[in-house]
Amino acid sequence: MGYREELDNLSQYRNAYALAISASMGSVFYGWDTGLIGGVLSLSSFQQYFGIDQLSATAQANLNGNIASVLQAGCFFGALFTGCMPGRFGRKIPLIISGLIYLIGSIIQTVSGIGSSQVVALRVLYFGRFLGGFGLGMSTALIPSYVSESTPKSIRGRCTGMIQVLNNIGMMLSFWVNYSSSLHLPFGEMQWRMPFAVQVVPGVLFILFMLPQPESPRCLVEQERYDEAARSLAYTTRSTINDKAVVAVLEEIKADLAGKQKTSVWKQFRMMGESKTMALQAFIPSLVMLFQQWTGSNAINYFSPEIFAELGITGNSTGLFATGIYGVVKVVTVTTTVVFAVERVGRKTCLLIGGLGQGFMMLWIGGYSALHPQTTMVPASYVSVVAVYLYAAFYCIGFGPNPWVVAGEVAPNHVRKAAMSLAMGMNWLFAFVISRVTPNMLEEIKYGTFLLFGMCCMLMSAWVYFCLPETKGYALEDIRFLFEKDMFVRALEDAPGGRIFLGGRRSTPVTDMRKAAGDDIVVRSSNEKLDEERVEHGQVV
């Protein structure tokens, strides 16, 4: 697609892009706190205010891990709570509620300790971070579904990838706010309160941006509000409700959700295991979000000042400056990936490139740290600092944006709420684990931390190569066919050089499977109608 075509695409789908950016503003919360807390924990003013500087190295590591991870604990419960909300609330209203909860938590964090003792101040800080995390967990469970359900398939990956773009923008801004605070504000409590206070801004913008956006069309169909669903589809494609493409997509959604409207979340959880295909589709979102955490990215995001210090970059402001550059690298790389690669190159290839690159960089950093445990700068130290930046770039090519895209696409329509709630709960559970144990790992096993994450990246890349089919270009209603038959054959067909493992084997084309399923749907719909009539007459089905 050339320059002119890209501009035409942007113009045609500007409403869809606006919707994706508005919803993805909720991801700024995630990035902001991820970048914020590591810098705040490294400020001497914060350590003195909460008495952290009086503790032993091990006790400091434990307390820092608690402060960082309590937000993830809130996120875990927020994500699970979202799955329990009745379907009649849709996606939009819970998203706005999540923003309000996040705002309240941010304000509590900002004022923690005013007029109280250190013990009470720490408790208030914990509560504020847990509450803010609860709102953040709600938003992350809803945003991928909302964006993937609301945007056209030709730009769906790009729009869903906006989640990671806005995440990294929030992270980058918080890095530079921390650096500016340490450099320009005098030593004192305002030095660490200001970064907490500024995170209110993205929360307010998120709520304001979401107010004019439509509800998810698939959610409206599930509630049998078909006219509103047609208007929502027409809005994102800038067409009319009578447009042939809008009518066709609406009919596809109706057929996919036939007999499954208004399914309770508990029934959705049960339905996730009703067939092998359904179980795979419901499980993969949780798996890819777990993989995203075990790349080790959040270990560097949360504790990058300490990691740069171990590589020889000394001085608090210097470490925060290096962290700020790290944030810029991530924003530039992830934006380039989402705009140019996710839809052209595909999700699978991006995951492979990113995962292998991350693994090699982590293994290099671990090997360097093992051979050079001192914090003095040597020539190899500069290579290791560059390796950290390259690691960030590879993360933004692969396991940064693409798990959000894959999770939002693969989850089946009629159990998407339960599957995404479970996936985001898994994401936040292991984000909690990573942020809690990383300080202790860096303190106790040091270079082993990086070697562990490096090997995890290699294993994840192998799974992507052999097990994950490409989802680019398929309608959400058709993605189930990728997992229904010949899944591993499809995965190898889509992998670079994968056909050499297949010999003459080839997968069944999705068009043929869709045609066969169309005949089945007619039969199934008739049987379901007969079953409903038998139930109404008191007969056992």
Side-chain angles (χ1 to χ4, degrees):
M1 188 182 290
Y3 175 71
R4 176 63 60 182
E5 289 80 3
E6 287 285 4
L7 289 179
D8 291 342
N9 177 281
L10 183 62
S11 175
Q12 179 184 354
Y13 295 120
R14 59 177 178 265
N15 288 351
Y17 286 123
L19 179 146
I21 291 172
S22 299
S24 298
M25 280 296 297
S27 189
V28 173
F29 308 164
Y30 184 8
W32 190 282
D33 186 85
T34 301
L36 166 109
I37 196 62
V40 168
L41 290 172
S42 70
L43 291 173
S44 300
S45 55
F46 180 85
Q47 295 175 5
Q48 185 183 87
Y49 190 89
F50 288 94
I52 299 174
D53 57 344
Q54 305 299 315
L55 303 175
S56 66
T58 301
Q60 284 187 24
N62 282 323
L63 186 56
N64 287 343
N66 290 338
I67 293 172
S69 63
V70 70
L71 180 124
Q72 279 74 37
C75 291
F76 173 74
F77 289 105
L80 293 184
F81 173 77
T82 303
C84 299
M85 293 183 71
R88 65 176 179 273
F89 292 118
R91 311 271 192 254
K92 179 180 173 179
I93 291 175
L95 276 171
I96 293 173
I97 292 172
S98 73
L100 291 171
I101 295 173
Y102 172 82
L103 275 177
I104 296 170
S106 298
I107 293 170
I108 292 174
Q109 291 175 68
T110 304
V111 302
S112 59
I114 295 179
S116 64
S117 65
Q118 284 184 346
V119 174
V120 174
L122 191 58
R123 290 173 181 170
V124 173
L125 180 64
Y126 281 151
F127 176 73
R129 287 185 60 72
F130 182 87
L131 188 63
F134 193 92
L136 175 54
M138 288 181 63
S139 68
T140 55
L142 291 162
I143 294 170
S145 296
Y146 177 70
V147 174
S148 65
E149 291 174 352
S150 302
T151 52
K153 67 180 180 181
S154 61
I155 60 168
R156 188 178 62 233
R158 185 177 294 173
C159 288
T160 313
M162 291 288 182
I163 298 171
Q164 191 65 29
V165 173
L166 272 294
N167 179 309
N168 285 350
I169 288 175
M171 192 183 305
M172 178 192 69
L173 292 174
S174 69
F175 285 154
W176 289 108
V177 167
N178 285 341
Y179 175 66
S180 300
S181 180
S182 70
L183 200 62
H184 299 296
L185 291 181
F187 184 90
E189 59 186 82
M190 277 307 298
Q191 195 178 55
W192 61 265
R193 288 191 193 278
M194 190 271 286
F196 280 125
V198 177
Q199 70 180 340
V200 170
V201 175
V204 173
L205 291 177
F206 171 65
I207 293 171
L208 294 178
F209 285 7
M210 277 302 302
L211 287 174
Q213 299 304 325
E215 180 57 88
S216 155
R218 286 167 175 81
C219 191
L220 291 169
V221 169
E222 194 173 7
Q223 298 172 23
E224 300 179 355
R225 295 156 61 183
Y226 302 124
D227 291 341
E228 292 178 64
R231 288 196 292 272
S232 180
L233 287 168
Y235 171 79
T236 54
T237 55
R238 297 186 66 245
S239 57
T240 66
I241 59 174
N242 297 318
D243 185 273
K244 290 182 179 179
V246 170
V247 173
V249 171
L250 185 60
E251 291 304 316
E252 285 180 6
I253 299 171
K254 286 181 180 179
D256 188 59
L257 292 173
K260 303 165 186 172
Q261 292 94 334
K262 299 181 180 179
T263 306
S264 70
V265 69
W266 301 114
K267 187 176 180 180
Q268 288 185 34
F269 278 115
R270 292 197 300 271
M271 291 171 70
M272 285 163 57
E274 66 182 9
S275 69
K276 179 182 177 181
T277 302
M278 186 73 65
L280 274 172
Q281 283 187 263
F283 172 68
I284 284 175
S286 295
L287 187 63
V288 292
M289 298 313 298
L290 180 150
F291 283 171
Q292 186 186 59
Q293 291 302 324
W294 280 100
T295 61
S297 177
N298 275 342
I300 293 182
N301 293 338
Y302 282 113
F303 303 103
S304 49
E306 289 89 338
I307 290 170
F308 281 120
E310 288 200 4
L311 295 178
I313 296 180
T314 57
N316 192 48
S317 295
T318 306
L320 290 175
F321 179 80
T323 301
I325 298 297
Y326 174 82
V328 172
V329 169
K330 294 190 75 170
V331 168
V332 171
T333 310
V334 76
T335 304
T336 304
T337 300
V338 168
V339 172
F340 297 108
V342 170
E343 293 297 355
R344 292 186 182 183
V345 179
R347 291 71 156 140
K348 183 184 181 84
T349 303
C350 287
L351 284 167
L352 284 171
I353 295 171
L356 291 172
Q358 280 183 271
F360 285 123
M361 293 307 105
M362 273 291 191
L363 292 175
W364 167 271
I365 296 168
Y368 165 81
S369 300
L371 297 174
H372 188 77
Q374 302 83 8
T375 56
T376 54
M377 292 293 285
V378 297
S381 302
Y382 297 101
V383 178
S384 296
V385 171
V386 171
V388 173
Y389 293 138
L390 287 175
Y391 169 86
F394 281 119
Y395 174 77
C396 292
I397 291 171
F399 280 94
N402 287 286
W404 299 98
V405 178
V406 172
E409 291 177 332
V410 171
N413 275 342
H414 58 289
V415 298
R416 179 170 282 115
K417 186 175 182 181
M420 291 305 296
S421 173
L422 189 62
M424 292 305 113
M426 182 72 70
N427 177 279
W428 288 116
L429 174 63
F430 283 95
F432 169 81
V433 171
I434 296 296
S435 61
R436 180 62 189 83
V437 302
T438 294
N440 299 91
M441 290 170 69
L442 292 172
E443 178 69 23
E444 301 295 334
I445 65 174
K446 302 187 186 302
Y447 66 86
T449 306
F450 307 109
L451 297 179
L452 172 64
F453 289 132
M455 292 307 300
C456 286
C457 289
M458 294 301 184
L459 292 173
M460 296 168 200
S461 300
W463 178 85
V464 170
Y465 190 92
F466 290 102
C467 302
L468 182 66
E470 178 58 69
T471 58
K472 178 187 72 171
Y474 292 100
L476 289 180
E477 288 68 36
D478 287 342
I479 284 178
R480 66 187 176 94
F481 297 122
L482 303 179
F483 302 92
E484 196 168 279
K485 186 179 180 182
D486 304 324
M487 185 186 82
F488 296 108
V489 176
R490 290 183 197 282
L492 288 171
E493 284 178 340
D494 296 333
R499 290 176 183 255
I500 63 174
F501 296 101
L502 295 175
R505 293 186 63 190
R506 294 293 181 266
S507 61
T508 306
V510 168
T511 51
D512 294 349
M513 298 179 71
R514 188 196 304 119
K515 184 178 179 181
D519 297 334
D520 291 342
I521 287 172
V522 175
V523 175
R524 188 166 61 248
S525 298
S526 300
N527 289 339
E528 286 173 351
K529 185 176 181 180
L530 178 62
D531 288 344
E532 290 171 1
E533 292 174 351
R534 292 171 64 190
V535 170
E536 289 174 0
H537 290 87
Q539 299 178 34
V540 178
V541 178

